[in-house]
Amino acid sequence: MNVNHIVQSLFQENLTSNKALELRDGQLVYGKLTKLFPHQMAEVQIGSQKMLANLTIPLTVDQSHWFQVSVTDDKPVLKVLPQSQEVLAEKGDIRRLFHQLHLPDTKENKLLTSYLLSHNLPITKESMKALSEWLPHSIGKQELSVIGLMIERELPLTKEVFSSISSLQTGKGVSVLIEELQYQLSTNNVKEPTLSNLLASLREGGKIAQDNIVASLKEIFHKIGYSFEAELLKQVQIEERSSQEMLKPMLLELMGKDVPAVVKETAGQLIDKVTGYQLISQQTGPIMQMITEIPLRFFNQQVDVTMQYTGRKKADGKVDSSYCRILFYLELAHLEDTVIDINIQNRIMNMSVLNDRALELMPLIKKAEEPLKEKLRELDYMLMSVHVKALTKEDKPLWSSPQSISASTYKGVDIKI
């Protein structure tokens, strides 16, 4: 197991989840009438779900149709797509949909449509046309899971967004890319002193100050540029000195300069990596989820730490530090893959440390438990327990949000056809 595998599990939720179908305006769904009831009511099966529908046109039991969803007064209404005589005999073949949308009948479009249908993800005319313009010719489970995540989180369906999110599943870590770019700037005699100094600072400055860990982490987040666009969207005036200390805007500027292709390639990979984490971090109402990767130094060893934070925002917009869950994924030189899972409820903390060498770690962690409790008491937190567990391939992925803060989905709706 490695951190890339753990990040990939975030995408695999689309493959394994059995979430309810959410009907959205403009969505196309394929359904079958299974039962007829009095007063023009019928049971319609869409995927694995059955819903009650109000028939406004005569339809026959056991026949399947493509429907388009329109939302009126917050209620979804299904309208049967018209069928031309040349495709009537195809009995539900997705080519009927391509004919209606004027989309090319390609292998890639068929795979994508089948994937979206089987995972209860919305299909719209606009999304299918946008995706078909740049859909990779070699499309597999990995590419489909990325597209599914883009649609699920309502991200722009562009090739650039696809590239950024795909970079989280494969490729090198942030610290490796930073080291490579620093080396390439030097060997290719690219004069970018501000960028070179920042790269060096990120490599050496990942050292966490023991007296102020929070401030150290905030400084690293700032230097990488995870909050760059957020500050721009809020129309916050970024001082020239501050923006010069942020990696992402400097890399974007570098891409527009006349520098060797190898430098641009590495800079582009770094931009994709940072942008990918920004895109999959999101806020739904008061619930926020942040996923980041930062370079740190532990005992003179450079490591990439992937962190997932899930919590709430209070009415004043500030993060509620009394209720949250934080997970750290580390690849350490000697302990190798390590997961630290912190769950906080009403400032009461429970911690789990997962590692394949759990038996060796247990006495060391127990020895440090009391000093840790004391430090947390000073911050008005109560540490209830520290559990040490073995980390195996069979462990359930930890990327899923806790059930208490997961977004609600439709369990069933009345549909008018």
Side-chain angles (χ1 to χ4, degrees):
M1 192 197 78
N2 54 42
V3 170
N4 271 340
H5 171 77
I6 297 172
V7 173
Q8 192 167 353
S9 69
L10 173 66
F11 302 88
Q12 295 304 317
E13 290 179 4
N14 284 332
L15 293 173
T16 58
S17 64
N18 190 26
K19 57 183 174 53
L21 174 67
E22 296 183 41
L23 296 179
R24 306 176 188 176
D25 194 50
Q27 179 179 352
L28 302 171
V29 294
Y30 190 68
K32 178 180 180 181
L33 264 70
T34 55
K35 292 181 183 178
L36 288 173
F37 300 108
H39 308 295
Q40 296 182 304
M41 300 300 292
E43 182 184 76
V44 179
Q45 181 168 336
I46 302 175
S48 60
Q49 295 178 238
K50 293 182 178 180
M51 301 176 179
L52 194 63
N54 184 2
L55 300 180
T56 57
I57 61 174
L59 295 176
T60 305
V61 173
D62 291 332
Q63 282 194 354
S64 298
H65 301 269
W66 281 104
F67 301 98
Q68 184 167 27
V69 180
S70 61
V71 178
T72 305
D73 297 328
D74 294 327
K75 292 183 179 180
V77 177
L78 295 186
K79 296 182 179 179
V80 180
L81 286 181
Q83 303 170 8
S84 64
Q85 293 299 320
E86 60 188 273
V87 294
L88 273 175
E90 295 183 8
K91 294 184 179 179
D93 193 296
I94 57 176
R95 282 177 289 182
R96 183 187 302 176
L97 177 64
F98 297 157
H99 179 88
Q100 294 293 335
L101 302 183
H102 305 290
L103 290 174
D105 182 4
T106 64
K107 176 184 176 182
E108 292 75 26
N109 279 340
K110 288 180 182 177
L111 286 171
L112 175 60
T113 305
S114 298
Y115 176 88
L116 298 180
L117 284 171
S118 63
H119 292 86
N120 286 342
L121 291 168
I123 301 174
T124 66
K125 181 178 180 179
E126 293 73 23
S127 65
M128 290 298 296
K129 286 190 173 181
L131 291 168
S132 64
E133 291 179 358
W134 55 264
L135 204 61
H137 291 296
S138 176
I139 185 170
K141 288 183 178 180
Q142 180 171 302
E143 290 77 18
L144 289 171
S145 65
V146 171
I147 294 172
L149 187 70
M150 292 166 63
I151 292 175
E152 170 111 25
R153 302 203 173 188
E154 300 181 349
L155 298 173
L157 301 178
T158 65
K159 187 176 182 179
E160 291 74 21
V161 171
F162 175 82
S163 175
S164 293
I165 297 180
S166 296
S167 72
L168 305 184
Q169 291 184 285
T170 58
K172 302 165 184 174
V174 171
S175 63
V176 174
L177 291 172
I178 287 174
E179 183 179 358
E180 286 187 359
L181 183 58
Q182 189 179 21
Y183 174 77
Q184 290 163 0
L185 290 174
S186 175
T187 55
N188 288 279
N189 199 29
V190 177
K191 303 297 183 182
E192 293 288 338
T194 306
L195 176 57
S196 297
N197 289 338
L198 178 57
L199 294 172
S201 173
L202 284 170
R203 286 190 65 194
E204 298 299 326
K207 301 173 183 177
I208 298 295
Q210 297 299 319
D211 58 337
N212 202 335
I213 295 176
V214 174
S216 299
L217 290 174
K218 283 183 177 180
E219 179 67 16
I220 296 171
F221 292 149
H222 171 78
K223 286 184 176 181
I224 293 177
Y226 281 123
S227 61
F228 177 62
E229 286 85 355
E231 293 179 15
L232 290 179
L233 287 174
K234 292 178 182 177
Q235 298 182 341
V236 174
Q237 184 65 39
I238 302 177
E239 298 178 3
E240 184 178 354
R241 182 188 63 82
S242 177
S243 62
Q244 285 180 347
E245 293 176 355
M246 299 176 76
L247 179 62
K248 184 174 180 180
M250 281 196 277
L251 292 176
L252 291 170
E253 185 179 351
L254 181 68
M255 295 293 285
K257 295 183 178 180
D258 184 17
V259 295
V262 65
V263 174
K264 284 192 175 183
E265 181 180 355
T266 305
Q269 291 175 7
L270 257 176
I271 293 171
D272 277 346
K273 207 80 169 177
V274 175
T275 304
Y277 282 115
Q278 289 175 303
L279 289 169
I280 64 174
S281 299
Q282 62 177 5
Q283 181 173 343
T284 305
I287 306 303
M288 61 178 295
Q289 183 183 64
M290 181 179 68
I291 305 170
T292 59
E293 181 181 337
I294 57 175
L296 294 178
R297 294 190 73 85
F298 288 115
F299 303 102
N300 253 349
Q301 295 289 332
Q302 186 75 47
V303 298
D304 284 317
V305 177
T306 305
M307 185 189 80
Q308 178 187 2
Y309 171 90
T310 310
R312 303 173 183 269
K313 279 194 173 183
K314 296 185 289 188
D316 59 3
K318 295 181 179 179
V319 174
D320 188 351
S321 56
S322 298
Y323 298 88
C324 64
R325 189 185 185 191
I326 310 172
L327 297 105
F328 296 93
Y329 302 93
L330 307 92
E331 289 183 282
L332 302 174
H334 301 293
L335 295 177
E336 298 180 341
D337 298 305
T338 304
V339 177
I340 301 173
D341 184 359
I342 301 171
N343 203 348
I344 301 174
Q345 296 291 321
N346 198 24
R347 305 194 75 82
I348 298 174
M349 181 185 300
N350 287 283
M351 182 185 300
S352 296
V353 179
L354 288 79
N355 186 276
D356 287 333
R357 298 165 65 178
L359 291 177
E360 298 175 46
L361 283 175
M362 195 173 298
L364 298 175
I365 291 177
K366 290 300 179 183
K367 184 178 179 181
E369 188 171 346
E370 284 305 319
L372 178 59
K373 285 183 177 181
E374 182 59 36
K375 286 286 185 182
L376 288 169
R377 272 195 291 267
E378 295 175 6
L379 299 172
D380 195 26
Y381 286 98
M382 178 185 294
L383 177 62
M384 290 295 292
S385 63
V386 179
H387 300 285
V388 184
K389 304 176 183 178
L391 180 64
T392 65
K393 292 180 180 179
E394 288 73 31
D395 283 327
K396 183 179 178 180
L398 299 174
W399 280 98
S400 302
S401 301
Q403 292 181 357
S404 59
I405 57 175
S406 61
S408 61
T409 55
Y410 288 106
K411 299 301 181 184
V413 294
D414 290 338
I415 304 171
K416 185 176 182 181
I417 302 179

